[in-house]
Each structure stands twice: as structure tokens, then as C-alpha cells.
């Protein structure tokens, strides 16, 4: 339970929380705002098992763009010993992002930007405001996106994406269910169910 604010005055690549070669970290009940880039950066998926829950995040990406308040990469696989089987594996535990309220204002595009092959995320029961919702690209796979509410405002007045998928590997598809996407259009709000 922390308040993290006014970061990046001297170091512009800073985040409130940045994880590199770490696992099973819990980021819970924080308020993060007023920073030049993402509030939370996951550099890799070393072993997984991290949890991001019950956070309020806003006013991020104030001096950058092309990412979101939570920004992830997964460029390098790591072999770790599975807790369940005791065997070595390149498959990490899922990373959980749940029950957060995230505003993707300023330069942010997606509230959760799973970039560069980010995989093994379970994203549930979040509210993403002023956001493209959930983005997965460049080979990401095995992500679960369910029970989220996305409220999106297209900058060009066009149709905004609530869920954006890039390529994925055979037998490693994403799972998307029971999400609500609200896109205010010309006059009346448009509600789309992304299943």
C-alpha cells in the first residue's frame, strides 16, 4: 500500500515498479500517478507467478507513447524448475493482473501493453478507462483476458480496438471471454462484447 508519484524528474526511463529477472512479486493496493513512462514495467517472464492487483494507476506516459501504464516484454525464455512437477521447463507460471483501475491517458495507448512476445498473462476483472484495452503482439501467446471492462475514446472518431491480437503459435491461442467494451460513438454510446 504505497502512493508513488512525481517520478521521472531526472530519469525519464523510470517506473514506479520495474521487474527484471524476478518472479512471484506481488504489487498490491498502490496508487501510481504522474510519471513519464509506464507505472509498471515487466522486462521478462523469468519464472512468472507475479500478481498485480487492486491498484489505481493514472497520468502515466506523460513524456512518451507507444505503450501503456503497464508495459511488458518477454524477449528471452528462461528455463526454471517447475514447482508442480520438479522438472525443468521454459513454461513459466501465469502472471496475474486483476481488479485494477487503470486510466490510459496522456501518451498511453493500451492500459496493458503486452509487447514483444509477452505470454502467460491472466488479465481478469479490471477496468481500463480511455484505453484500447488489452494488446498482445509480436508472438505473444497463452494469455487469458476475461471479465474486464474497457471504456475507450477513439482519438480520430473512428472505431477503437478493445482487444488487439498479433500472431500466436499453433496450439497456444489466447482466450478472451466475458469482457465489456464501451466505445462512445457519434451521439449514443456503442457497447461491444468482446468474446
Amino acid at each position: 500500500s504505497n502512493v508513488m508519484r512525481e517520478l521521472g524528474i531526472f530519469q525519464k526511463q523510470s517506473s514506479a515498479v520495474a521487474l527484471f529477472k524476478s518472479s512471484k512479486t506481488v504489487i498490491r493496493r498502490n496508487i501510481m500517478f504522474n510519471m513519464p513512462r509506464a507505472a509498471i514495467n515487466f522486462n521478462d517472464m523469468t519464472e512468472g507467478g507475479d500478481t498485480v492487483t487492486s491498484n489505481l494507476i493514472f497520468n502515466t506516459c506523460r513524456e512518451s507513447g507507444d505503450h501503456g501504464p503497464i508495459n511488458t516484454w518477454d524477449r528471452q525464455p528462461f528455463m526454471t524448475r517447475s514447482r508442480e512437477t520438479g522438472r525443468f521447463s521454459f513454461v513459466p507460471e501465469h502472471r496475474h493482473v486483476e481488479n485494477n483501475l487503470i486510466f490510459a491517458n496522456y501518451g498511453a495507448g493500451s492500459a496493458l501493453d503486452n509487447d514483444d512476445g509477452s505470454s502467460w498473462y491472466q488479465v481478469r476483472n479490471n477496468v481500463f478507462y480511455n484505453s484500447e484495452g488489452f494488446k498482445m503482439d509480436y508472438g505473444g501467446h497463452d494469455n487469458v483476458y476475461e471479465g474486464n471492462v474497457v471504456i475507450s475514446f477513439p482519438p480520430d472518431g473512428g472505431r477503437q480496438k478493445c482487444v488487439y491480437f498479433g500472431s500466436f503459435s499453433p496450439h497456444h491461442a489466447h482466450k478472451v471471454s466475458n469482457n465489456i467494451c464501451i466505445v462512445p460513438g457519434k451521439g449514443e454510446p456503442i457497447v461491444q462484447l468482446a468474446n
Side-chain angles (χ1 to χ4, degrees), residues 22-72:
S22 41
S23 62
K24 297 172 186 55
T25 302
V26 177
I27 304 167
R28 178 186 303 130
R29 288 192 297 262
N30 299 289
I31 300 173
M32 301 176 220
F33 63 99
N34 291 355
M35 36 199 87
R37 286 190 49 85
I40 300 172
N41 256 318
F42 288 107
N43 186 63
D44 50 56
M45 183 59 110
T46 305
E47 194 174 330
D50 304 294
T51 300
V52 179
T53 185
S54 306
N55 297 288
L56 170 61
I57 304 173
F58 61 97
N59 290 1
T60 64
C61 308
R62 296 192 314 167
E63 298 179 36
S64 59
D66 188 36
H67 58 89
I70 299 178
N71 193 30
T72 73

CSV table of all heavy atoms in Angstrom, one decimal, residues 22-72:
chain,number,residue,atom,x,y,z
A,22,SER,N,13.0,-11.4,-12.2
A,22,SER,CA,12.4,-11.7,-10.9
A,22,SER,C,11.1,-12.4,-11.1
A,22,SER,O,10.5,-12.6,-12.2
A,22,SER,CB,12.1,-10.4,-10.2
A,22,SER,OG,11.7,-9.4,-11.0
A,23,SER,N,10.5,-13.0,-10.0
A,23,SER,CA,9.3,-13.7,-10.1
A,23,SER,C,8.5,-13.7,-8.8
A,23,SER,O,9.1,-13.4,-7.7
A,23,SER,CB,9.6,-15.2,-10.5
A,23,SER,OG,10.4,-15.8,-9.5
A,24,LYS,N,7.3,-14.1,-8.9
A,24,LYS,CA,6.4,-14.2,-7.7
A,24,LYS,C,6.3,-12.9,-6.9
A,24,LYS,O,6.2,-12.9,-5.6
A,24,LYS,CB,6.8,-15.4,-6.8
A,24,LYS,CG,6.7,-16.7,-7.6
A,24,LYS,CD,7.2,-17.9,-6.9
A,24,LYS,CE,7.2,-19.1,-7.7
A,24,LYS,NZ,7.8,-19.0,-9.0
A,25,THR,N,6.4,-11.8,-7.5
A,25,THR,CA,6.3,-10.5,-6.9
A,25,THR,C,4.8,-10.1,-6.8
A,25,THR,O,4.1,-10.3,-7.7
A,25,THR,CB,7.1,-9.4,-7.7
A,25,THR,OG1,8.4,-9.8,-7.8
A,25,THR,CG2,7.0,-8.0,-7.1
A,26,VAL,N,4.4,-9.5,-5.7
A,26,VAL,CA,3.0,-9.0,-5.5
A,26,VAL,C,3.1,-7.5,-5.5
A,26,VAL,O,3.7,-6.9,-4.6
A,26,VAL,CB,2.4,-9.6,-4.2
A,26,VAL,CG1,1.0,-9.0,-4.0
A,26,VAL,CG2,2.4,-11.1,-4.3
A,27,ILE,N,2.3,-6.9,-6.4
A,27,ILE,CA,2.1,-5.4,-6.4
A,27,ILE,C,0.7,-5.2,-6.1
A,27,ILE,O,-0.2,-5.4,-7.0
A,27,ILE,CB,2.5,-4.9,-7.8
A,27,ILE,CG1,3.9,-5.3,-8.2
A,27,ILE,CG2,2.3,-3.4,-7.9
A,27,ILE,CD1,4.3,-5.1,-9.7
A,28,ARG,N,0.4,-4.8,-4.9
A,28,ARG,CA,-1.0,-4.7,-4.4
A,28,ARG,C,-1.3,-3.4,-3.7
A,28,ARG,O,-0.5,-2.9,-2.9
A,28,ARG,CB,-1.2,-5.9,-3.4
A,28,ARG,CG,-2.6,-5.9,-2.8
A,28,ARG,CD,-2.8,-6.9,-1.7
A,28,ARG,NE,-2.5,-8.3,-2.2
A,28,ARG,CZ,-1.7,-9.1,-1.6
A,28,ARG,NH1,-1.1,-8.8,-0.5
A,28,ARG,NH2,-1.5,-10.3,-2.1
A,29,ARG,N,-2.5,-2.9,-4.0
A,29,ARG,CA,-3.1,-1.7,-3.3
A,29,ARG,C,-2.2,-0.5,-3.3
A,29,ARG,O,-1.9,0.1,-2.2
A,29,ARG,CB,-3.5,-2.1,-1.8
A,29,ARG,CG,-4.7,-3.0,-1.7
A,29,ARG,CD,-5.2,-3.1,-0.3
A,29,ARG,NE,-4.3,-3.7,0.6
A,29,ARG,CZ,-4.3,-5.0,1.0
A,29,ARG,NH1,-5.2,-5.8,0.5
A,29,ARG,NH2,-3.4,-5.4,1.8
A,30,ASN,N,-1.8,-0.1,-4.5
A,30,ASN,CA,-0.9,1.1,-4.6
A,30,ASN,C,-1.7,2.1,-5.5
A,30,ASN,O,-2.6,1.8,-6.3
A,30,ASN,CB,0.4,0.7,-5.4
A,30,ASN,CG,1.2,-0.3,-4.6
A,30,ASN,OD1,1.7,0.0,-3.5
A,30,ASN,ND2,1.2,-1.5,-5.1
A,31,ILE,N,-1.3,3.4,-5.3
A,31,ILE,CA,-1.8,4.4,-6.2
A,31,ILE,C,-0.5,5.0,-6.9
A,31,ILE,O,0.5,5.4,-6.2
A,31,ILE,CB,-2.4,5.6,-5.4
A,31,ILE,CG1,-3.6,5.0,-4.6
A,31,ILE,CG2,-2.8,6.7,-6.3
A,31,ILE,CD1,-4.3,6.0,-3.6
A,32,MET,N,-0.5,4.9,-8.2
A,32,MET,CA,0.6,5.3,-9.0
A,32,MET,C,0.2,6.4,-10.0
A,32,MET,O,-0.7,6.1,-10.8
A,32,MET,CB,1.2,4.1,-9.7
A,32,MET,CG,1.7,3.0,-8.8
A,32,MET,SD,2.2,1.6,-9.8
A,32,MET,CE,1.6,0.3,-8.8
A,33,PHE,N,0.8,7.5,-10.0
A,33,PHE,CA,0.5,8.6,-11.0
A,33,PHE,C,1.6,9.6,-11.2
A,33,PHE,O,2.5,9.6,-10.4
A,33,PHE,CB,-0.8,9.3,-10.6
A,33,PHE,CG,-0.8,10.0,-9.3
A,33,PHE,CD1,-0.6,11.4,-9.2
A,33,PHE,CD2,-0.9,9.4,-8.1
A,33,PHE,CE1,-0.5,12.1,-8.1
A,33,PHE,CE2,-0.9,10.0,-6.8
A,33,PHE,CZ,-0.6,11.4,-6.8
A,34,ASN,N,1.5,10.4,-12.3
A,34,ASN,CA,2.4,11.4,-12.6
A,34,ASN,C,3.8,10.9,-12.9
A,34,ASN,O,4.7,11.1,-12.1
A,34,ASN,CB,2.4,12.5,-11.6
A,34,ASN,CG,1.1,13.3,-11.6
A,34,ASN,OD1,0.2,13.1,-12.4
A,34,ASN,ND2,1.0,14.2,-10.7
A,35,MET,N,4.0,10.1,-14.0
A,35,MET,CA,5.3,9.6,-14.3
A,35,MET,C,5.5,9.7,-15.8
A,35,MET,O,4.5,9.7,-16.6
A,35,MET,CB,5.5,8.2,-13.8
A,35,MET,CG,4.4,7.3,-13.8
A,35,MET,SD,4.7,5.9,-12.6
A,35,MET,CE,4.1,6.6,-11.1
A,36,PRO,N,6.7,9.8,-16.3
A,36,PRO,CA,7.0,10.0,-17.7
A,36,PRO,C,6.7,8.8,-18.6
A,36,PRO,O,6.4,8.9,-19.8
A,36,PRO,CB,8.5,10.4,-17.8
A,36,PRO,CG,9.1,9.7,-16.6
A,36,PRO,CD,8.0,9.8,-15.5
A,37,ARG,N,6.8,7.6,-18.0
A,37,ARG,CA,6.6,6.4,-18.8
A,37,ARG,C,5.6,5.5,-18.1
A,37,ARG,O,4.8,6.0,-17.3
A,37,ARG,CB,7.9,5.6,-19.0
A,37,ARG,CG,8.8,6.3,-20.1
A,37,ARG,CD,10.0,5.5,-20.5
A,37,ARG,NE,9.7,4.1,-20.8
A,37,ARG,CZ,9.3,3.6,-22.0
A,37,ARG,NH1,9.1,4.5,-23.0
A,37,ARG,NH2,9.1,2.4,-22.2
A,38,ALA,N,5.7,4.2,-18.2
A,38,ALA,CA,4.8,3.2,-17.6
A,38,ALA,C,5.0,3.2,-16.1
A,38,ALA,O,6.0,3.5,-15.6
A,38,ALA,CB,5.1,1.8,-18.2
A,39,ALA,N,3.9,2.9,-15.4
A,39,ALA,CA,3.9,2.8,-13.9
A,39,ALA,C,4.6,1.5,-13.5
A,39,ALA,O,5.3,1.4,-12.6
A,39,ALA,CB,2.5,2.9,-13.3
A,40,ILE,N,4.3,0.4,-14.3
A,40,ILE,CA,4.8,-0.9,-14.0
A,40,ILE,C,5.5,-1.4,-15.3
A,40,ILE,O,4.8,-1.4,-16.4
A,40,ILE,CB,3.7,-1.9,-13.5
A,40,ILE,CG1,3.1,-1.3,-12.3
A,40,ILE,CG2,4.3,-3.3,-13.3
A,40,ILE,CD1,1.9,-2.1,-11.8
A,41,ASN,N,6.7,-1.9,-15.2
A,41,ASN,CA,7.4,-2.5,-16.3
A,41,ASN,C,7.9,-3.9,-16.0
A,41,ASN,O,8.6,-4.1,-15.0
A,41,ASN,CB,8.7,-1.6,-16.7
A,41,ASN,CG,8.5,-0.8,-17.9
A,41,ASN,OD1,7.9,-1.2,-18.9
A,41,ASN,ND2,9.0,0.4,-17.8
A,42,PHE,N,7.4,-4.8,-16.8
A,42,PHE,CA,7.9,-6.2,-16.6
A,42,PHE,C,8.9,-6.4,-17.8
A,42,PHE,O,8.5,-6.4,-19.0
A,42,PHE,CB,6.8,-7.2,-16.7
A,42,PHE,CG,5.9,-7.2,-15.5
A,42,PHE,CD1,4.7,-6.7,-15.5
A,42,PHE,CD2,6.4,-7.8,-14.3
A,42,PHE,CE1,3.8,-6.8,-14.4
A,42,PHE,CE2,5.6,-7.8,-13.2
A,42,PHE,CZ,4.3,-7.3,-13.2
A,43,ASN,N,10.2,-6.6,-17.5
A,43,ASN,CA,11.2,-6.8,-18.6
A,43,ASN,C,11.2,-8.2,-19.2
A,43,ASN,O,11.5,-8.3,-20.3
A,43,ASN,CB,12.6,-6.4,-18.0
A,43,ASN,CG,13.6,-6.4,-19.1
A,43,ASN,OD1,13.5,-5.6,-20.0
A,43,ASN,ND2,14.6,-7.3,-19.0
A,44,ASP,N,10.8,-9.2,-18.4
A,44,ASP,CA,10.8,-10.5,-18.9
A,44,ASP,C,9.9,-11.4,-18.1
A,44,ASP,O,9.2,-10.9,-17.2
A,44,ASP,CB,12.3,-11.1,-18.8
A,44,ASP,CG,12.9,-10.9,-17.4
A,44,ASP,OD1,12.3,-11.3,-16.4
A,44,ASP,OD2,13.9,-10.2,-17.3
A,45,MET,N,9.8,-12.6,-18.4
A,45,MET,CA,8.9,-13.6,-17.7
A,45,MET,C,9.8,-14.7,-17.1
A,45,MET,O,9.5,-15.8,-17.3
A,45,MET,CB,7.9,-14.1,-18.7
A,45,MET,CG,6.9,-15.0,-18.0
A,45,MET,SD,5.9,-14.3,-16.7
A,45,MET,CE,4.3,-14.2,-17.5
A,46,THR,N,10.8,-14.3,-16.3
A,46,THR,CA,11.7,-15.3,-15.8
A,46,THR,C,11.1,-16.5,-15.3
A,46,THR,O,11.4,-17.6,-15.8
A,46,THR,CB,12.6,-14.6,-14.6
A,46,THR,OG1,13.1,-13.4,-15.1
A,46,THR,CG2,13.6,-15.6,-14.2
A,47,GLU,N,10.3,-16.5,-14.3
A,47,GLU,CA,9.6,-17.7,-13.8
A,47,GLU,C,8.1,-17.5,-13.6
A,47,GLU,O,7.4,-18.4,-13.4
A,47,GLU,CB,10.2,-18.0,-12.4
A,47,GLU,CG,9.9,-19.3,-11.9
A,47,GLU,CD,10.7,-19.6,-10.6
A,47,GLU,OE1,11.8,-19.1,-10.4
A,47,GLU,OE2,10.1,-20.4,-9.8
A,48,GLY,N,7.7,-16.2,-13.7
A,48,GLY,CA,6.2,-15.9,-13.6
A,48,GLY,C,5.7,-15.9,-12.2
A,48,GLY,O,6.5,-15.7,-11.3
A,49,GLY,N,4.4,-16.1,-12.1
A,49,GLY,CA,3.8,-16.1,-10.8
A,49,GLY,C,3.6,-14.8,-10.1
A,49,GLY,O,3.3,-14.7,-8.9
A,50,ASP,N,3.8,-13.7,-10.8
A,50,ASP,CA,3.6,-12.3,-10.3
A,50,ASP,C,2.2,-12.0,-10.2
A,50,ASP,O,1.3,-12.5,-11.0
A,50,ASP,CB,4.4,-11.3,-11.1
A,50,ASP,CG,5.8,-11.6,-11.3
A,50,ASP,OD1,6.5,-11.5,-10.3
A,50,ASP,OD2,6.2,-11.9,-12.4
A,51,THR,N,1.8,-11.1,-9.3
A,51,THR,CA,0.4,-10.6,-9.2
A,51,THR,C,0.4,-9.1,-9.1
A,51,THR,O,1.1,-8.5,-8.3
A,51,THR,CB,-0.3,-11.2,-7.9
A,51,THR,OG1,-0.3,-12.6,-8.0
A,51,THR,CG2,-1.7,-10.7,-7.8
A,52,VAL,N,-0.4,-8.5,-9.9
A,52,VAL,CA,-0.7,-7.0,-9.9
A,52,VAL,C,-2.2,-6.9,-9.6
A,52,VAL,O,-3.0,-7.3,-10.4
A,52,VAL,CB,-0.4,-6.4,-11.2
A,52,VAL,CG1,-0.7,-4.9,-11.2
A,52,VAL,CG2,1.1,-6.6,-11.6
A,53,THR,N,-2.5,-6.4,-8.4
A,53,THR,CA,-3.9,-6.4,-8.0
A,53,THR,C,-4.3,-5.2,-7.2
A,53,THR,O,-3.5,-4.7,-6.4
A,53,THR,CB,-4.3,-7.7,-7.3
A,53,THR,OG1,-5.7,-7.7,-7.0
A,53,THR,CG2,-3.6,-7.9,-6.0
A,54,SER,N,-5.5,-4.7,-7.4
A,54,SER,CA,-6.1,-3.7,-6.5
A,54,SER,C,-5.3,-2.4,-6.5
A,54,SER,O,-5.2,-1.7,-5.5
A,54,SER,CB,-6.3,-4.2,-5.1
A,54,SER,OG,-7.0,-5.4,-5.1
A,55,ASN,N,-4.8,-2.0,-7.7
A,55,ASN,CA,-4.1,-0.8,-7.9
A,55,ASN,C,-4.9,0.3,-8.6
A,55,ASN,O,-5.7,-0.1,-9.5
A,55,ASN,CB,-2.8,-1.0,-8.6
A,55,ASN,CG,-1.9,-2.0,-7.9
A,55,ASN,OD1,-1.3,-1.6,-6.9
A,55,ASN,ND2,-1.8,-3.2,-8.3
A,56,LEU,N,-4.6,1.5,-8.4
A,56,LEU,CA,-5.1,2.7,-9.1
A,56,LEU,C,-3.9,3.3,-9.8
A,56,LEU,O,-3.0,3.7,-9.2
A,56,LEU,CB,-5.8,3.7,-8.2
A,56,LEU,CG,-6.2,5.0,-8.8
A,56,LEU,CD1,-7.2,4.8,-10.0
A,56,LEU,CD2,-6.7,6.0,-7.8
A,57,ILE,N,-4.0,3.4,-11.2
A,57,ILE,CA,-2.9,3.9,-12.0
A,57,ILE,C,-3.5,4.9,-13.0
A,57,ILE,O,-4.4,4.6,-13.7
A,57,ILE,CB,-2.2,2.8,-12.8
A,57,ILE,CG1,-1.7,1.7,-11.8
A,57,ILE,CG2,-1.0,3.3,-13.6
A,57,ILE,CD1,-1.1,0.4,-12.5
A,58,PHE,N,-2.9,6.1,-13.0
A,58,PHE,CA,-3.3,7.2,-13.9
A,58,PHE,C,-2.2,8.2,-14.2
A,58,PHE,O,-1.2,8.2,-13.4
A,58,PHE,CB,-4.6,7.9,-13.4
A,58,PHE,CG,-4.4,8.6,-12.1
A,58,PHE,CD1,-4.2,9.9,-12.1
A,58,PHE,CD2,-4.6,7.8,-10.9
A,58,PHE,CE1,-4.1,10.6,-10.8
A,58,PHE,CE2,-4.4,8.5,-9.7
A,58,PHE,CZ,-4.2,9.8,-9.6
A,59,ASN,N,-2.3,9.0,-15.2
A,59,ASN,CA,-1.3,10.1,-15.5
A,59,ASN,C,0.1,9.5,-15.8
A,59,ASN,O,1.0,10.0,-15.2
A,59,ASN,CB,-1.3,11.2,-14.5
A,59,ASN,CG,-2.5,12.0,-14.4
A,59,ASN,OD1,-3.5,11.8,-15.2
A,59,ASN,ND2,-2.5,13.0,-13.6
A,60,THR,N,0.1,8.4,-16.5
A,60,THR,CA,1.4,7.8,-16.9
A,60,THR,C,1.7,8.2,-18.4
A,60,THR,O,0.9,8.8,-19.0
A,60,THR,CB,1.4,6.3,-16.7
A,60,THR,OG1,0.4,5.7,-17.6
A,60,THR,CG2,1.1,5.9,-15.3
A,61,CYS,N,2.8,7.8,-18.8
A,61,CYS,CA,3.2,8.0,-20.2
A,61,CYS,C,3.1,9.5,-20.6
A,61,CYS,O,2.8,9.8,-21.7
A,61,CYS,CB,2.4,7.2,-21.2
A,61,CYS,SG,2.4,5.4,-20.8
A,62,ARG,N,3.4,10.4,-19.7
A,62,ARG,CA,3.3,11.8,-19.9
A,62,ARG,C,4.4,12.4,-20.8
A,62,ARG,O,4.2,13.4,-21.4
A,62,ARG,CB,3.3,12.6,-18.6
A,62,ARG,CG,2.1,12.2,-17.7
A,62,ARG,CD,1.9,13.1,-16.5
A,62,ARG,NE,3.1,13.4,-15.8
A,62,ARG,CZ,3.2,14.3,-14.9
A,62,ARG,NH1,2.1,15.1,-14.6
A,62,ARG,NH2,4.3,14.5,-14.2
A,63,GLU,N,5.5,11.7,-21.0
A,63,GLU,CA,6.5,12.1,-21.8
A,63,GLU,C,6.9,11.0,-22.8
A,63,GLU,O,8.1,11.0,-23.3
A,63,GLU,CB,7.7,12.5,-21.0
A,63,GLU,CG,7.4,13.7,-20.1
A,63,GLU,CD,8.6,14.1,-19.2
A,63,GLU,OE1,9.8,14.0,-19.7
A,63,GLU,OE2,8.4,14.5,-18.1
A,64,SER,N,6.0,10.1,-23.1
A,64,SER,CA,6.3,9.0,-24.0
A,64,SER,C,5.0,8.5,-24.6
A,64,SER,O,4.0,9.0,-24.3
A,64,SER,CB,7.1,7.9,-23.3
A,64,SER,OG,6.3,7.4,-22.2
A,65,GLY,N,5.1,7.5,-25.4
A,65,GLY,CA,3.9,6.9,-26.0
A,65,GLY,C,4.2,5.5,-26.5
A,65,GLY,O,5.3,5.0,-26.1
A,66,ASP,N,3.4,5.0,-27.3
A,66,ASP,CA,3.6,3.6,-27.8
A,66,ASP,C,3.7,2.5,-26.8
A,66,ASP,O,4.3,1.5,-26.9
A,66,ASP,CB,4.8,3.6,-28.7
A,66,ASP,CG,4.9,2.3,-29.5
A,66,ASP,OD1,3.8,1.8,-29.9
A,66,ASP,OD2,6.0,1.8,-29.7
A,67,HIS,N,3.0,2.7,-25.6
A,67,HIS,CA,2.9,1.7,-24.6
A,67,HIS,C,1.8,2.1,-23.7
A,67,HIS,O,1.0,2.9,-24.0
A,67,HIS,CB,4.3,1.5,-23.9
A,67,HIS,CG,4.8,2.7,-23.3
A,67,HIS,ND1,4.5,3.0,-22.0
A,67,HIS,CD2,5.7,3.6,-23.7
A,67,HIS,CE1,5.2,4.1,-21.7
A,67,HIS,NE2,5.8,4.5,-22.7
A,68,GLY,N,1.8,1.5,-22.5
A,68,GLY,CA,0.7,1.8,-21.6
A,68,GLY,C,1.2,1.9,-20.1
A,68,GLY,O,2.4,1.7,-19.8
A,69,PRO,N,0.2,2.2,-19.2
A,69,PRO,CA,0.6,2.3,-17.8
A,69,PRO,C,1.2,1.0,-17.3
A,69,PRO,O,2.0,1.0,-16.3
A,69,PRO,CB,-0.8,2.5,-17.1
A,69,PRO,CG,-1.6,3.2,-18.2
A,69,PRO,CD,-1.2,2.6,-19.5
A,70,ILE,N,0.8,-0.2,-17.8
A,70,ILE,CA,1.6,-1.4,-17.5
A,70,ILE,C,2.2,-1.9,-18.9
A,70,ILE,O,1.5,-2.1,-19.9
A,70,ILE,CB,0.7,-2.5,-17.0
A,70,ILE,CG1,0.1,-2.1,-15.6
A,70,ILE,CG2,1.5,-3.8,-16.8
A,70,ILE,CD1,-0.9,-3.1,-15.0
A,71,ASN,N,3.5,-2.0,-18.9
A,71,ASN,CA,4.2,-2.3,-20.1
A,71,ASN,C,5.0,-3.6,-19.9
A,71,ASN,O,5.7,-3.7,-18.9
A,71,ASN,CB,5.1,-1.1,-20.5
A,71,ASN,CG,5.6,-1.2,-21.9
A,71,ASN,OD1,5.0,-1.8,-22.8
A,71,ASN,ND2,6.8,-0.7,-22.1
A,72,THR,N,4.9,-4.5,-20.8
A,72,THR,CA,5.6,-5.8,-20.6
A,72,THR,C,6.4,-6.2,-21.9
A,72,THR,O,6.0,-5.9,-23.0
A,72,THR,CB,4.6,-6.9,-20.3
A,72,THR,OG1,3.9,-7.3,-21.5
A,72,THR,CG2,3.7,-6.5,-19.2
